[in-house]
Amino acid sequence: MRFATGMVLIDAPHSALNMLGIDESLADRNVTRVKTFRRGGKRYPYVSPQAWRYWWRFTLKEHFNWELSPLYREQKQVFTAANPLKYPDDDVFGYMRAFKKGGVNVTVTRVSPLKNTPLISVLPDRSSITVDEGYASRHEGDPVPYSQEFYSTVFKGAFSLDLDSVGRFTIVSKAGFKNLLTWEDVPRDKKGNPKKGTEDVVNEIREMERIAEELGVQRTEKEWLMPPEIRKTRATEAIKALRLLTGGAKQSQYHTDVTPKFVLLLNVDAGINPFISDLVFEEKGEIRFDAEALAKRLKDLKEVIPEGTKLYIGYDAGFVRSLGWDVNEMAKAVKEAGIEVFTGTVGEAVDEFAREIEAYYG
């Protein structure tokens, strides 16, 4: 059970990446808010987890030529094709399609191998958010005033990719684990043939079997397993996409580069993420990194850190300099805890980490 885990920091020096919309509680209704949440006595800006996943999918499409699963609408639901053999994003990001087609229950669900937190501001709103007062004046008549919030902060996010689940599709009658339709889902007539009205379901199953045959998928009663090369490619490209991350609202006005400026990457033989919680924190308006806390945490988890793996620290030199961080001190503290460390640029760290993932698949 191997998980590729990580933490990213995204520098947002003047940004509004994920907006809440117009604040209807105000009398003039012309203030556009950023999304925030409260923790303790403070409020923090954040980017929703679904927004981050949207950026991630888009980056995989743009830079790795992933053919994204098409979207369909049925009543009030929107869902993808639920075809993880053909569409790698259905495989890596999971899906839920729950409805009946022609009287046949065609519900299939897949727990996403890739899990991620929201991107949360390290600085609270009082230290990061301001309001821009503007006027729309490109029309005849009086200018129209409006206001919009934006922030200057650093966002922190964490993720975990279940390497064993990538390219592995289960057929278990349990929410999240019935990934594919089977012939048992097709109602039969008295002669044992599929009933009329089930043609779409029959065609979907036949198409899935055709693709499986073409790709060389191993099939058993309870699961289908894609070849190692395909699983390796999907897992490593999902990780490599981080360094090319593209997205965010208000780019025309604030032009924020959302590629991570600092990453921690580690393979772990457990469904945990050692980078969640306050390794990066605010202190008197400054953003700090607690290297000793990281070292102690990794030492405490050493039994689930695979032998021969490393902690990969990737950083942008200008970013860490602006925060006053010393990456060598971080690496030294972790090494003293008995964990091997690689340091380099974000691109170098991601590439080296991807090689370690490739080796896992053989």
Side-chain angles (χ1 to χ4, degrees):
M1 190 175 214
R2 179 70 56 88
F3 293 81
T5 63
M7 184 198 78
V8 303
L9 297 181
I10 292 174
D11 190 21
H14 35 67
S15 315
L17 296 169
N18 197 201
M19 306 301 285
L20 180 65
I22 298 290
D23 189 343
E24 299 287 345
S25 66
L26 299 178
D28 51 7
R29 296 183 180 181
N30 69 351
V31 181
T32 305
R33 300 284 196 198
V34 298
K35 290 184 176 179
T36 60
F37 74 99
R38 185 176 294 281
R39 182 184 184 189
K42 299 178 181 177
R43 186 170 288 280
Y44 295 84
Y46 73 93
V47 173
S48 70
Q50 61 268 29
W52 186 12
R53 292 170 76 84
Y54 178 82
W55 302 352
W56 213 324
R57 267 192 166 99
F58 180 78
T59 303
L60 285 162
K61 172 178 175 288
E62 290 296 306
H63 294 282
F64 296 90
N65 297 318
W66 278 28
E67 183 182 2
L68 299 187
S69 185
L71 294 175
Y72 300 95
R73 181 165 185 166
E74 185 73 22
Q75 297 174 349
K76 294 183 179 180
Q77 296 183 46
V78 175
F79 47 85
T80 68
N83 184 340
L85 298 179
K86 182 176 181 179
Y87 302 109
D89 63 320
D90 271 349
D91 179 2
V92 173
F93 291 84
Y95 49 80
M96 182 175 73
R97 184 187 70 184
F99 73 101
K100 290 185 177 181
K101 183 187 290 185
V104 181
N105 187 351
V106 293
T107 298
V108 285
T109 58
R110 174 168 171 76
V111 174
S112 172
L114 178 64
K115 300 170 178 62
N116 60 278
T117 67
L119 295 168
I120 300 169
S121 170
V122 178
L123 301 175
D125 63 344
R126 70 167 188 273
S127 301
S128 58
I129 293 182
T130 188
V131 179
D132 177 53
E133 306 286 350
Y135 292 89
S137 58
R138 296 181 62 186
H139 60 280
E140 293 186 3
D142 296 333
V144 177
Y146 68 93
S147 303
Q148 60 182 5
E149 292 181 337
F150 72 101
Y151 38 65
S152 178
T153 189
V154 170
F155 284 103
K156 175 178 64 177
F159 68 88
S160 174
L161 177 63
D162 183 346
L163 300 183
D164 290 304
S165 291
V166 174
R168 184 189 297 273
F169 313 118
T170 53
I171 310 170
V172 179
S173 184
K174 178 181 173 184
F177 295 89
K178 182 172 172 51
N179 301 158
L180 306 170
L181 291 179
T182 68
W183 289 111
E184 293 179 359
D185 298 306
V186 182
R188 305 278 176 168
D189 61 20
K190 292 180 179 178
K191 295 181 180 179
N193 298 317
K195 284 186 174 180
K196 288 185 177 180
T198 62
E199 291 80 5
D200 287 347
V201 180
V202 169
N203 289 337
E204 179 177 327
I205 294 171
R206 284 177 176 163
E207 174 67 3
M208 206 73 75
E209 289 182 335
R210 183 192 67 76
I211 297 173
E213 183 71 22
E214 189 175 292
L215 297 178
V217 173
Q218 295 179 28
R219 297 164 54 186
T220 65
E221 184 180 349
K222 294 296 183 183
E223 73 172 27
W224 292 17
L225 186 65
M226 300 192 85
E229 283 302 318
I230 296 177
R231 301 176 70 202
K232 180 191 303 184
T233 299
R234 291 182 176 183
T236 56
E237 288 183 348
I239 296 299
K240 288 178 179 178
L242 278 173
R243 62 184 295 251
L244 299 170
L245 206 61
T246 304
K250 301 286 183 182
Q251 287 288 3
S252 60
Q253 293 171 297
Y254 297 105
H255 190 35
T256 302
D257 174 14
V258 298
T259 58
K261 297 299 184 293
F262 183 87
V263 296
L264 297 176
L265 303 165
L266 179 71
N267 280 311
V268 181
D269 281 340
I272 58 176
N273 188 316
F275 308 124
I276 292 177
S277 80
D278 297 333
L279 296 175
V280 181
F281 60 98
E282 182 253 354
E283 184 178 70
K284 298 178 181 177
E286 301 292 329
I287 298 175
R288 308 292 190 191
F289 186 94
D290 194 337
E292 292 299 326
L294 173 63
K296 288 180 180 177
R297 191 173 299 170
L298 295 184
K299 186 177 181 180
D300 198 41
L301 297 172
K302 201 168 181 181
E303 73 270 24
V304 294
I305 298 176
E307 188 176 349
T309 63
K310 297 177 182 176
L311 170 70
Y312 295 87
I313 304 176
Y315 64 98
D316 177 272
F319 176 71
V320 297
R321 183 179 63 245
S322 70
L323 298 178
W325 292 0
D326 187 336
V327 174
N328 292 328
E329 286 296 318
M330 295 178 194
K332 181 182 176 183
V334 174
K335 283 180 181 176
E336 288 176 353
I339 309 296
E340 291 297 314
V341 181
F342 172 93
T343 61
T345 67
V346 172
E348 290 168 346
V350 168
D351 287 344
E352 288 297 319
F353 185 56
R355 289 190 186 94
E356 203 174 279
I357 292 171
E358 286 178 346
Y360 178 66
Y361 288 107

